[in-house]
Amino acid sequence: MKHRSLKLKEAHKASGGGGGRAALCSIIWDPEGRHLVTASAADQSVLIHYLDQQSKPPKALDHHKEGVTALAFSPSSNSFASGSVDHSVKLYSFPDGEFQSNVTRFTLPIRSLAFNKSGSLLAAAGDDDGIKLIATIDSTISRVLKGHKASVTGLAFDPKNEFLASVDSVGTVIYWELSSGKSVHTLNSVAPICDSDSSLSNVLSWSPDGEILAVPGLRNDVVMYDRDTAEKLFTLKGDHEKSVCFLSWSPNGKYIATSGLDKQVLIWDIDLRQDIERQKFDDRITGLAWKSNGNALAVIDVMGKFGVWESTIPSCMKSPIDGAPSPQIRNDSGFLFDEDNEKSSASGSLDNVDEESHGESVPITGKRLRKQSILEDCFGEDSDGEEGLLRQIESRKRNSAKRKVDIGKGDECSSLMKSIRVRMQEAFQPGSTPIQPGKRRFLCYNLLGSITTLENEGNSHIEVDFHDTGRGPRVPSMTDYFGFTMASLNENGSVFANPCKGEKNTSTLMYRPFSSWANNSEWSMRFEAEEVQAVALGNGWVAAATSLNFLRIFTDGGLQKHILCLNGPVVTLAGLKDELAIVTHASDSLPSGDQVLDVMVLNILNGTQTIISRLPLTPSSHLTWFGFSDEGQLSSYDSKGVLRMFSTQFGGSWLPVFSASKARKSEDENYWVVGLSASKLFCIICKSPDSYPLVMPKPVLTLLNFSLPLACSDLGADELENEFVLSKISLLQIQNKVKEMVAAGIDTTALCDEAFSIEASMDRCILKLIASCCNSDKLVRATELARLLSLEKSVMGAIKLATALKLPVLAERFIGVLEESLLDKSEGAPHVSNLASSAAVTSNVAKRKILPVPAVNKPQVLKSVGSEEKSGEVGGFQLCKSPSEGNTKDSRQQMQSNLMATPSAKASSDHYKVELCNNTREGNSKAGVNQMPCVKSNETTLKDEGVNQMQSHRAVNPFAKASKNQGKSSLFDSIKKKVDNEKMDGLAKK
């Protein structure tokens, strides 16, 4: 980052006595990069500098009477314009510098000029009230835009020819719609105030793809605004000590150069959102211009001195012109053609089609281009005079999706319909922060600990810290001689990697275990002409993805175990235990800006592929975090603040479980994700404009509850519905784990208990939802909810609730649900043969049998007792006797109560629970698992069949521990037969 100080040479002499006074100076580069044009508000001359002929003196154009305050190059023709304090705008041919015409005059000084992409329209503004849009074909004023209350100092046409953006001296930014001339967005006081200094000028600039508007911010930063909504996207904040006064995008939009009042010029990487290069000057820089066909930046200061910063971007990084649109050049006949193909029209964007399909004429000469004729044949448009120009700026609907164009009219038309390619997201490491020169940053931050680095005199100092300080001895710090930029951390060790650097252009991978039985267990690998782009760790393995789309797997001892080919460029890696998750690009980004990403999960131990899926993202967003939850659930978080979790539902799908827009308490909150558990997100809250935390002071972890993006329900019970859906997701995860553990022969007692607890919690939530449905008269929905209840006690609670609310029809429905459940239980229990098998366990967990509750012989109603759960309560309601016993039940209800009160039914149900757990225990025993008792057998209940049990007791968990006593099948069959006979007798009496 250290450069030899750039020497500037004088172009314009500063006016005034002594050392002269500071003045606003301008500099522009011609499209071919062979000439520079400069001007100064303290000099009436415009100078053309011949860079390819160093000995040739600059040509002076002395057509203004006072200082020149603005310059603008027409991108599609060899001409440029100048604006002056003398109130005039003049047009010149290029490169001869011949004066063409006075374009327009104002009553006050000019401050800013801008051409649209095709060069057919020139915007001019200054101290006058209004921005003039001038048709360059005949210098007529097409429209005047009024809305600013101060001098307009900056103008920028949207490359898609839909908007004009302007900024004034008091920091107000306005988006103007060219088709209507109306302001669509106004941002008040977002840029610095500069009306007190004539050498200062607020500026703004569109990115080359037209999606982002860059504006100097109020905190010595640059703020990026969205094209369509004018919302703040992100900020660039680095080492500018004072306000930014000028900025310029690189031709490909990957970089932006900024100059500040602190006399510094910083080069920013937009993807990394950090400054990567800088230069310090003796005076403030007021003008910057990127070379359109090379790695160079032209600068000019307030004293009229200029220079060229060669090799602005380091050779190890992407060139500032790599991926930029092909420049248009003029041939000897004066017509415009693309450099790549002179016979056919340029492979430009749809914006070129929209701009040029109306048959624009070339400024000055007025000759019609061949490309223009082709487009006229395609679209049948005509373009003479001002009417054609106005048609050229007619409204195009604002959307970022690819515009639909008829391309079936010849190969030449088709070549014009190619859309702009949006940049693909670069590889990143989850839990890392961008490079901050002179500051410590995170190479890795997760729920276990963090790895930080600080550059000092060419080397870096790396430290590993654990959140749990009592975990063990502190890991010694390390001096980094390689310049590591990425790292990963787990319980066993840490891995580091750096990009290609040095004369041999090598990339290094290093692994450091935290403990080992042998000395010198640390190891490293070097890759020549291959760059490590992401790393991950697991149980006994280290993974690295490289620029050659290779996935390299090493053992923790350094053995090169696997080399796999990836389907596309890597985006990130994440590891947990035996599983490695890889995110890659599936294709180029869509014209809308959407990234197309694939996810693949590998089991390193078994050598299998467990998941392959497309990774969904919010439109126009990118991936910011990726990894596993504590329970091993694959998850992702995008730049729009949506957290998604992978689920096996519907054959494998992603579920949105958190939205930052709903969770944040204020608009300036940003969530930097660290990890997650089954129901909570672990993050660090950052305040705008910061989007990531600093190492010092130590970040504070915040836990946020998951919140699904549910529609606004007519029940008004959003929290209950959110709790219900999240419980279902958690239950499904546990079911899948039980299935895997049974298949592997592992005891599942703890997970089964957890599943039962979740089911009980779900029932409480469902009962509250049923109450809301009853109050809102949504009886069909209440019945649907009742069918989702897992415990018979809960269904009884729903019946009591409907009775208390005087909804006899709904109570009848609930009784029907109860009867169906009892019937399913009595029919299904004898046929259970081997619950220990994988399929049977999955079915048992997914389709739980409703457990019996004590008999109810007398009618009862519900009395609300708030949220407390006491003995004899169901879902927040307490069972109590009705003042009118026996008068409210019909014969059907009485029959159901009698059926439930039958001792044999109770005995049958208890015996089924014992049978279920013993079968499960036998299956675990066969699988080689230590035999664990499931449920204590209630032998007294089985023997005392004649005792009518009236007391209410808690439902028994079938996943709990069982005794070694197991009932005989003959007794079970006799009990079932007796229950079936009693049911038939009851139906016959009815």
Side-chain angles (χ1 to χ4, degrees), residues 760-942:
S761 176
M762 281 180 60
D763 277 10
R764 287 193 294 270
C765 180
I766 292 172
L767 283 172
K768 294 176 183 178
L769 284 172
I770 290 175
S772 297
C773 290
C774 293
N775 293 330
S776 303
D777 201 25
K778 305 294 182 183
L779 304 187
V780 174
R781 197 178 309 173
T783 306
E784 293 172 343
L785 287 166
R787 295 184 184 277
L788 299 176
L789 292 169
S790 301
L791 307 178
E792 184 178 325
K793 181 179 180 180
S794 302
V795 181
M796 287 300 301
I799 296 172
K800 301 300 180 183
L801 175 63
T803 304
L805 296 176
K806 298 180 181 180
L807 298 171
V809 176
L810 184 62
E812 177 110 1
R813 292 279 182 179
F814 288 169
I815 291 175
V817 172
L818 184 60
E819 288 179 341
E820 292 175 5
S821 300
L822 289 171
L823 184 61
D824 290 343
K825 179 186 66 176
S826 62
E827 291 180 352
H831 302 290
V832 178
S833 59
N834 186 11
L835 294 177
S837 67
S838 175
V841 168
T842 303
S843 176
N844 174 49
V845 177
K847 301 177 180 179
R848 291 287 307 281
K849 305 302 180 182
I850 294 184
L851 303 179
V853 297
V856 180
N857 291 324
K858 296 183 180 181
Q860 296 172 328
V861 295
L862 292 171
K863 181 174 71 175
S864 176
V865 294
S867 60
E868 295 183 3
E869 294 292 328
K870 301 179 180 179
S871 177
E873 295 176 4
V874 179
F877 293 92
Q878 185 176 19
L879 299 178
C880 62
K881 292 185 178 180
S882 171
S884 57
E885 293 185 0
N887 297 328
T888 58
K889 287 192 175 181
D890 55 16
S891 59
R892 180 182 177 87
Q893 291 172 314
Q894 187 63 42
M895 179 273 295
Q896 180 61 35
S897 297
N898 293 336
L899 176 62
M900 294 174 57
T902 303
S904 61
K906 169 67 177 169
S908 174
S909 186
D910 282 349
H911 183 80
Y912 167 68
K913 288 181 289 184
V914 177
E915 187 76 17
L916 182 148
C917 293
N918 284 335
N919 284 334
T920 305
R921 177 171 50 81
E922 290 177 4
N924 287 338
S925 179
K926 292 178 181 179
V929 182
N930 293 333
Q931 186 169 329
M932 298 292 292
C934 290
V935 177
K936 293 182 179 181
S937 175
N938 193 343
E939 298 179 1
T940 305
T941 304
L942 293 175

Side-chain angles (χ1 to χ4, degrees), residues 11-15 21-27 38-47 66-71 83-85 286 300-305:
H12 303 271
K13 292 183 179 181
S15 63
R21 66 176 176 85
L24 183 67
C25 297
S26 308
I27 189 167
T38 61
S40 170
D43 186 1
Q44 66 184 26
S45 297
V46 176
L47 300 181
E66 296 187 58
V68 180
T69 53
L71 294 173
S84 171
V85 181
T286 63
I300 190 168
D301 65 16
V302 290
M303 308 307 292
K305 294 179 291 185

